[in-house]
Amino acid sequence: MNYFLAAFAALFLALGLAQPAAAQSDDPQLIFEKTTVWRMLSPDATLATFVIDDPGVSGVACYFTVPRVGGWKGWAGFAEERSDVSIACRQVGPIQFKTKFDQGEEIYRERRSLFWKKMQIVRGCDAQRNVLVYLAYSDRLIEGSPQNSTSTVPVMPWNNENVPNCGAFVNP
């Protein structure tokens, strides 16, 4: 029986299915983690805060916090992570749009369970107010998940540069 479990674990590791969720995409930078549940003999449950630069809009960074299940199942990637997510996006330099984009375009995705759940960050534009809108949410293949968080970034001048209008970069 132990041979079967070891072979099963080796198969999942070889296929890359037991990797941490963030390793499945462009790795965001971990800013810090805080323990929420201490465990003596296995990894703690934590809240992890990350930053990712918007790949399609230079000058914008999004900070998001997600819970991480501890224990051996969480460490091995078998535990289903909670759907909670919070996000705060900010202008960190002059805003330049690299290409046109669709409303609700995905800028980041992270697996939150072995197969069915993922967390996504998507971008949109409020053209009337010249504001970028970011939505972070979790979804599940079979049952949806209403947990979400929204952040906005007004497109503002930076060092007296011209201010682009985000509406000019949204696909019709």
Side-chain angles (χ1 to χ4, degrees), residues 122-144:
V122 297
R123 174 193 342 103
C125 166
D126 176 353
Q128 180 180 352
R129 294 167 187 82
N130 201 22
V131 174
L132 292 167
V133 181
Y134 293 85
L135 169 65
Y137 67 98
S138 288
D139 64 2
R140 202 171 172 176
L141 184 62
I142 301 188
E143 298 172 22

Side-chain angles (χ1 to χ4, degrees), residues 5 8-9 25 33 38 54 81 89 103 108 148 153 159 163 172:
L5 291 175
F8 186 72
S25 264
E33 269 183 294
W38 179 80
D54 186 328
E81 298 284 355
C89 298
Q103 292 283 28
Y108 178 73
N148 63 78
V153 178
N159 295 332
V163 179

